[in-house]
Amino acid sequence: MTTRRTFLTSGALAAGASALAAPAIAQGAPLKWRMQTYAGATLGEHVAKPAIDAFNKIANGQMEIELFYADQLVPTGELFRAMQNGTIDAVQSDDDSMASPTEVTVFGGYFPFALRYSLDVPALFNHYGLDEIWKEEYAKQGIQHISAGSWDPCNFATKQPINSLEDLKGKRVFTFPTAGRFLAKFGVVPVTLPWEDIEVALQTGELDGVAWSGITEDYTVGWADATGNFLTNSISGAWIGHFFANQKRWDEVPDHLKELMKAVFDQSHYYRQHWYWAGEAKLRVTGDKMKLTTIPADQWATVEAAALEFWDEIAAESEVKAKVVAKIKEYNQAMTKAGPPYREA
């Protein structure tokens, strides 16, 4: 019979021998990556930094990701090319903002009225095949699509109140390329500027408003002070954003660190989901910097109808775009048939 004393002594010796024989987990210098996010420093504290801090801590010296905010290394519109040529190793952005030359770029950010709630994003990517489509399209460009997640809805924040579709005409608005293309149908004038310049542009009158985020972001980054009016009608219920990496750099990462990165980024997606979901409701109720306005339902219905025509317009451009639009239509039809809480009756 093995006694407790002999077990402890023989066990300790065996454990020590195993430890000496086992190869070191980390060999040589740690891997170092540079990642740039679309978000400025204030917003990045929520949407990017916690995930990168967690990864660096858990990686325990084997790998380190250095985080940069909007336009710090390269302009946001050059993020894709910089990642593709290896100037930076990874990116957190939507496809649209970083000018990705893929067939799916038009769906990044806010594709008008495709999503009602933040949960629609992971549902589409994980259960309706969008993740596979994105990975295939980015592989053609030498990029690893790591994962997609949802951010906040898209609402107008403006200096002058918006109470009708007529009030949108002529408004110079900072927004995403595809959203701007759609909103131009209603007289909106899309404006492209560096993210960090938006607050000043609102203060000086260069911009009349933004259609870039929900109310949480308006308060977080200071746009609530520079606008003062929030339109409750939403262009999209959630923003689609992603984590990407240069494929060669991704291939250099050990499998266990790849899994860690994916897990940490999934946690990041989850954090944003509840942070925005809670913030959107709370600030509409308790926020004191923005007056809420609403375009009447009958007028807004014409915008929704135009979005469906816009989908077909996009689908006609390529087979891949048609495939994505078909998935979006299939999903929304299922949600509508399911009724509350998925969609209103």
Side-chain angles (χ1 to χ4, degrees), residues 25 31 33 35 50-65 146-147 243 250 253-269:
I25 294 176
L31 286 172
W33 272 20
M35 173 184 284
I52 303 308
D53 286 348
F55 177 85
N56 289 339
K57 183 176 181 180
I58 303 170
N60 198 28
Q62 296 178 47
M63 182 173 174
E64 179 183 350
I65 300 175
I146 301 173
S147 62
F243 287 99
W250 176 259
V253 177
D255 287 343
H256 71 289
L257 291 177
K258 288 177 182 175
E259 291 303 315
L260 172 60
M261 204 180 303
K262 288 187 285 188
V264 168
F265 291 166
D266 279 345
Q267 175 63 25
S268 176
H269 294 317

Side-chain angles (χ1 to χ4, degrees), residues 312-334:
D312 291 335
E313 179 184 326
I314 296 299
E317 294 178 354
S318 75
E319 289 185 13
V320 173
K321 291 176 182 178
K323 186 176 180 180
V324 175
V325 168
K327 295 288 187 183
I328 290 172
K329 286 184 175 181
E330 178 189 356
Y331 176 76
N332 277 281
Q333 287 167 1

